[in-house]
């Protein structure tokens, strides 16, 4: 999830757990703890694929963050010794702020390595877009209420608690919406007799009404869209090829193996000006994907492995307008 939302969630938890006991410092501590796991983005890991796939790694591990909880509690009590009687509340705040951060990240499609250092693939429930105003705004509103309303009154504390409940219910709604969409997709694929390996449903930007559907098949993948407002469950799919043969002789190349693992197999391979490019199909719309990496070069007679380099895609802002129109009208063509 975006950093602003994570800070707001941590601050809202700080107010809910410690607000009545230590005042606005609970907001501050919650916000800092909510941001802490994402500080790994400041670490240069060495190359493009490492920077991409090591993010949300050790700093998002439930094992690491659980081990760090007593340290953060000790630091808080050293800085605020007058609050030592609230040690249990401090422990609850630290643990909740860190754990809710990584669980919220699991709800996005990027993937979160919450079981690091175990070699399990990143967890990606993909029920909410990385930025969703309907989730973020209640959190921000609750935090602002806690900041602005007089501390002699419990109104700010109450408003913040209500906003936390509303935002949590929205997360539950997103999971329910995804389960419904998955059911529709399964039925549509059966009617079309498409033999698929796996499929993925991802909410379109800034909402949970329109969903992008990605279906992997032997010779490539299908892309389709479904809105909860569509009157039919028949999803139109467009097929796109993927040249997996380009990876022959590159199967042992670390960037290739790492991206295959990290994307859960939702990737495509193509040639671009002599470069062999592997694209993460989970984030973006055809043909523009946010994360594309050069992993090799065309050689004679065999491909040559290279150090990974990120290929920047065009930012098609006109597609945001299409997302809004497609929610209501299944006949709108993607630009």
């Amino acid at each position: 999830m975006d950093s602003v939302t994570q800070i707001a969630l941590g601050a809202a938890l700080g107010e809910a757990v410690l607000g009545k006991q230590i005042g606005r410092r609970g907001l501050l501590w919650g916000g800092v703890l909510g941001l802490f796991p994402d500080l790994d983005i400041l670490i240069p890991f060495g190359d493009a694929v490492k920077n991409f796939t090591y993010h949300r790694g050790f700093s998002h591990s439930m094992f690491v963050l659980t081990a760090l909880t007593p340290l953060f509690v000790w630091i808080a009590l050293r800085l605020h010794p007058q609050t030592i009687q609230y040690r249990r509340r401090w422990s609850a705040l630290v643990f909740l702020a860190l754990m809710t951060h990584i669980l919220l990240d699991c709800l996005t499609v990027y993937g979160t390595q919450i079981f690091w250092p175990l070699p399990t693939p990143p967890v990606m429930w993909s029920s909410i877009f990385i930025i969703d105003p309907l989730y973020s705004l209640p959190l921000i509103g609750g935090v602002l209420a806690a900041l602005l309303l007089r501390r002699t009154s419990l109104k700010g504390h109450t408003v913040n608690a209500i906003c936390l409940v509303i935002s949590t219910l929205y997360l539950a709604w997103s999971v329910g919406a995804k389960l419904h969409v998955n059911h529709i997709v399964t039925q549509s694929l059966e009617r079309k007799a498409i033999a698929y390996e796996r499929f993925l449903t991802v909410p379109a930007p800034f909402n949970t009404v329109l969903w992008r559907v990605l279906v992997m098949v032997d010779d490539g993948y299908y892309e389709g869209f479904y809105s909860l407002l569509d009157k039919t469950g028949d999803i139109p799919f467009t097929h796109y090829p993927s040249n997996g043969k380009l990876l022959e002789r590159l199967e042992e190349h670390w960037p290739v193996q790492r991206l295959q693992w990290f994307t859960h197999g939702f990737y495509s391979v193509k040639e671009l000006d002599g470069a062999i490019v592997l694209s993460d199909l989970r984030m973006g719309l055809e043909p523009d994907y946010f994360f594309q990496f050069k992993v090799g070069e065309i050689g004679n007679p065999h491909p040559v492995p290279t150090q990974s380099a990120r290929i920047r895609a065009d930012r098609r802002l006109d597609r945001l307008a299409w997302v809004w129109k497609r929610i209501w009208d299944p006949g709108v063509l993607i630009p």
Side-chain angles (χ1 to χ4, degrees):
M1 210 68 181
D2 66 289
S3 296
V4 173
T5 301
Q6 294 286 16
I7 293 172
L9 175 58
L13 289 170
E15 167 64 24
V17 176
L18 277 173
K20 291 192 293 185
Q21 282 72 33
I22 69 168
R24 292 174 180 171
R25 285 171 294 183
L27 287 166
L28 176 61
W29 271 93
V32 171
L33 291 166
L35 178 64
F36 175 76
D38 279 344
L39 295 181
D40 68 331
I41 200 172
L42 302 176
I43 302 174
F45 290 106
D47 69 20
V49 170
K50 289 181 179 178
N51 290 337
F52 175 53
T53 63
Y54 285 172
H55 176 49
R56 295 192 186 178
F58 72 92
S59 68
H60 286 63
S61 166
M62 63 169 59
F63 306 122
V64 172
L65 295 179
T66 299
L68 287 177
T69 294
L71 174 62
F72 281 118
V73 173
W74 178 81
I75 293 173
L77 292 177
R78 289 282 293 180
L79 294 175
H80 310 290
Q82 71 277 16
T83 66
I84 194 169
Q85 68 269 34
Y86 303 120
R87 176 186 294 272
R88 289 186 178 181
R89 287 183 175 270
W90 275 112
S91 299
L93 168 60
V94 173
F95 185 76
L96 284 174
L98 296 175
M99 289 299 117
T100 54
H101 178 117
I102 63 175
L103 290 176
L104 186 58
D105 278 346
C106 287
L107 291 173
T108 67
V109 76
Y110 188 99
T112 309
Q113 299 168 58
I114 62 174
F115 299 114
W116 186 95
L118 301 179
T120 55
V123 177
M124 55 160 202
W125 295 322
S126 65
S127 66
I128 193 168
F129 190 68
I130 191 171
I131 301 175
D132 192 319
L134 290 181
Y135 176 70
S136 302
L137 290 178
L139 289 173
I140 295 172
V143 170
L144 290 176
L147 277 172
L148 299 177
L149 296 180
R150 296 179 58 184
R151 301 305 303 182
T152 55
S153 168
L154 291 179
K155 288 183 179 179
H157 185 78
T158 302
V159 171
N160 179 71
I162 292 173
C163 289
L164 262 176
V165 171
I166 292 172
S167 62
T168 303
L169 289 175
Y170 183 72
L171 291 181
W173 148 262
S174 74
V175 173
K178 180 180 176 67
L179 293 175
H180 171 70
V181 173
N182 284 352
H183 178 67
I184 297 294
V185 171
T186 301
Q187 290 184 326
S188 184
L189 291 172
E190 289 178 355
R191 285 194 296 268
K192 297 177 185 296
I194 296 177
Y196 62 93
E197 298 174 359
R198 64 186 71 86
F199 73 81
L200 178 68
T201 54
V202 186
F206 313 128
N207 78 104
T208 53
V209 178
L210 179 64
W211 292 73
R212 176 174 176 255
V213 184
L214 180 64
V215 183
M216 304 303 297
V217 294
D218 286 339
D219 60 345
Y221 53 97
Y222 289 91
E223 183 183 58
F225 296 89
Y226 176 75
S227 170
L228 298 180
L229 302 180
D230 286 352
K231 296 180 180 180
T232 174
D234 186 34
I235 303 174
F237 289 105
T238 303
H239 178 266
Y240 299 97
S242 176
N243 192 355
K245 292 183 179 180
L246 290 173
L247 295 181
E248 292 179 359
R249 302 298 182 101
L250 295 179
E251 295 92 347
E252 303 300 321
H253 191 31
W254 185 87
V256 172
Q257 292 183 333
R258 182 71 176 181
L259 289 171
Q260 291 173 331
W261 171 82
F262 191 78
T263 63
H264 292 251
F266 292 100
Y267 66 90
S268 69
V269 187
K270 64 183 178 182
E271 178 187 350
L272 182 62
D273 297 329
I276 300 172
V277 177
L278 197 152
S279 302
D280 186 339
L281 299 175
R282 301 171 303 163
M283 289 166 276
L285 302 176
E286 185 68 32
D288 304 312
Y289 293 103
F290 294 117
F291 298 106
Q292 303 182 93
F293 300 92
K294 175 184 175 182
V295 295
E297 294 177 346
I298 299 298
N300 186 12
H302 304 301
V304 179
T306 62
Q307 184 177 15
S308 65
R310 185 174 174 187
I311 308 296
R312 300 286 177 176
D314 293 334
R315 298 301 175 95
R316 298 283 302 277
L317 297 181
D318 57 323
R319 292 189 171 189
L320 294 179
W322 173 84
V323 167
W324 176 252
K325 294 176 182 178
R326 175 59 185 84
I327 289 176
W328 312 98
D329 183 2
V332 177
L333 298 178
I334 187 170

